[in-house]
């Protein structure tokens, strides 16, 4: 899934998005029926690709595997917090053992046996500190990777959704009734479906409603006639 996501982002950033932007710039510079069709086709292609990828990412986030991974990530964070406390305690004990040994060596009437015992304790404390330190760093890397990956996926679903709405809106605003761009009504239904599914969600409602409001002013009203049947 991760590699599919990376592949999709490559296709999006290297091909579909540049094609969409380029055809719109050409249209702005020279408005012709052919340029309008090209811009519409490019934006519909971008919209469909992103909308499909949005569906894939949403399905992944709703999956049992994602929930299980989230639980595991939470457990690692808890373990990291506990390990951090153990690290501090081990560090404190190692410092105390080193201080005790140094004090004993500098004291008068020191006994060799006591010094040797303290030296052994210090080595034990140092080993405990070293082992905990290694485990702590490993947990930190794992938690950091978990957090970045899950945050990136959760951010991408909102980004894909808004881009899909914007691309559908741009294409539907550009193309004319007589343009040969295929079944336009399916794009209208898809756009409205994405909107209705997300217009009340806390993390997407503001941006998606703003995008719909923007394109509602530029799209011909007859685009929405198929919705009443």
């Amino acid at each position: 899934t991760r590699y599919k996501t990376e592949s999709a982002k490559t296709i999006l950033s290297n091909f579909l998005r540049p094609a969409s932007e380029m055809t719109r710039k050409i249209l702005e510079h020279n408005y012709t029926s052919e340029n309008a069709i090209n811009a519409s086709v490019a934006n519909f292609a971008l919209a469909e690709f992103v909308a499909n990828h949005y569906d894939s990412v949403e399905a992944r986030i709703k999956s049992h595997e994602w929930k299980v991974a989230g639980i595991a990530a939470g457990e690692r964070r808890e373990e990291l917090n506990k390990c951090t406390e153990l690290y501090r305690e081990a560090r404190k004990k190692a410092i105390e053992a080193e201080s005790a040994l140094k004090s004993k060596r500098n004291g008068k009437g020191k006994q060799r046996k006591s010094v040797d015992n303290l030296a052994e304790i210090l080595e034990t404390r140092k080993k405990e500190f070293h082992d905990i330190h290694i485990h702590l760093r490993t947990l930190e890397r794992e938690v950091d990777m978990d957090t970045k990956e899950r945050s990136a996926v959760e951010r991408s679903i909102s980004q894909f959704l808004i881009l899909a709405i914007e691309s559908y809106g741009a294409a539907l605003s550009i193309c004319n009734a007589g343009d040969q761009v295929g079944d336009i009504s399916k794009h209208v239904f898809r756009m409205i479906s994405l909107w209705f599914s997300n217009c009340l969600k806390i993390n997407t409602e503001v941006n998606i409603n703003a995008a719909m409001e923007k394109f509602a002013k530029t799209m011909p009203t007859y685009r929405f006639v198929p919705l009443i049947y």
Side-chain angles (χ1 to χ4, degrees):
T1 303
R2 178 184 172 187
Y3 295 116
K4 287 182 180 179
T5 301
E6 292 301 321
S7 177
K9 288 181 178 178
T10 300
I11 295 171
L12 181 61
S13 60
N14 292 351
F15 301 102
L16 293 179
R17 206 162 191 169
S20 168
E21 294 171 354
M22 182 179 67
T23 53
R24 273 191 278 181
K25 286 180 181 178
I26 292 173
L27 181 64
E28 290 172 5
H29 181 70
N30 182 24
Y31 192 96
T32 65
S33 178
E34 183 181 357
N35 288 342
I37 291 173
N38 291 337
S40 299
V41 170
N43 279 276
F44 279 138
L46 173 60
E48 286 188 299
F49 180 85
V50 176
N52 290 337
H53 199 61
Y54 163 81
D55 289 340
S56 297
V57 176
E58 185 182 42
R60 179 185 177 190
I61 289 177
K62 290 181 178 180
S63 69
H64 175 69
E65 290 77 9
W66 181 264
K67 292 177 182 177
V68 170
I71 293 171
E75 291 174 348
R76 273 192 291 274
R77 283 194 298 272
E78 290 181 9
E79 185 180 357
L80 175 60
N81 291 335
K82 292 177 181 178
C83 190
T84 300
E85 289 300 317
L86 290 174
Y87 171 82
R88 290 169 182 163
E89 291 175 11
R91 184 172 182 273
K92 181 181 177 182
K93 288 179 180 179
I95 292 173
E96 288 174 349
E98 187 172 13
S99 177
L101 179 59
K102 188 181 294 183
S103 177
K104 192 69 175 177
R105 282 173 174 168
N106 294 336
K108 295 180 180 179
K110 58 188 177 184
Q111 297 180 3
R112 182 67 188 174
K113 186 175 181 180
S114 297
V115 171
D116 290 343
N117 287 340
L118 287 174
E120 289 179 7
I121 292 173
L122 176 59
E123 287 303 312
T124 300
R125 296 286 184 253
K126 282 184 175 180
K127 186 179 184 308
E128 290 174 352
F129 174 71
H130 177 266
D131 292 344
I132 293 173
H133 180 261
I134 295 298
H135 187 53
L136 177 65
R137 292 292 172 259
T138 301
L139 282 174
E140 285 177 337
R141 286 193 295 272
E142 291 177 352
V143 169
D144 184 59
M145 289 174 61
D146 287 340
T147 303
K148 286 181 178 178
E149 180 181 2
R150 294 182 72 82
S151 296
V153 171
E154 289 166 358
R155 280 196 310 271
S156 71
I157 192 170
S158 178
Q159 293 167 352
F160 289 139
L161 173 63
I162 299 304
L163 182 56
I165 292 292
E166 290 177 344
S167 300
Y168 276 124
L172 291 169
S173 299
I174 293 169
C175 64
N176 297 314
D179 290 342
Q180 301 300 312
V181 292
D183 182 10
I184 295 177
S185 61
K186 73 174 184 179
H187 299 303
V188 176
F189 279 109
R190 185 71 163 114
M191 180 183 187
I192 297 301
S193 175
L194 288 171
W195 178 35
F196 281 2
S197 299
N198 294 277
C199 62
L200 298 179
K201 292 182 181 179
I202 295 175
N203 59 333
T204 57
E205 63 173 331
V206 175
N207 291 333
I208 196 171
N209 289 336
M212 285 299 299
E213 182 180 5
K214 171 187 173 183
F215 288 108
K217 297 174 182 177
T218 60
M219 285 187 292
T221 54
Y222 63 78
R223 291 278 182 245
F224 301 99
V225 172
L227 297 174
I228 65 177
Y229 292 105

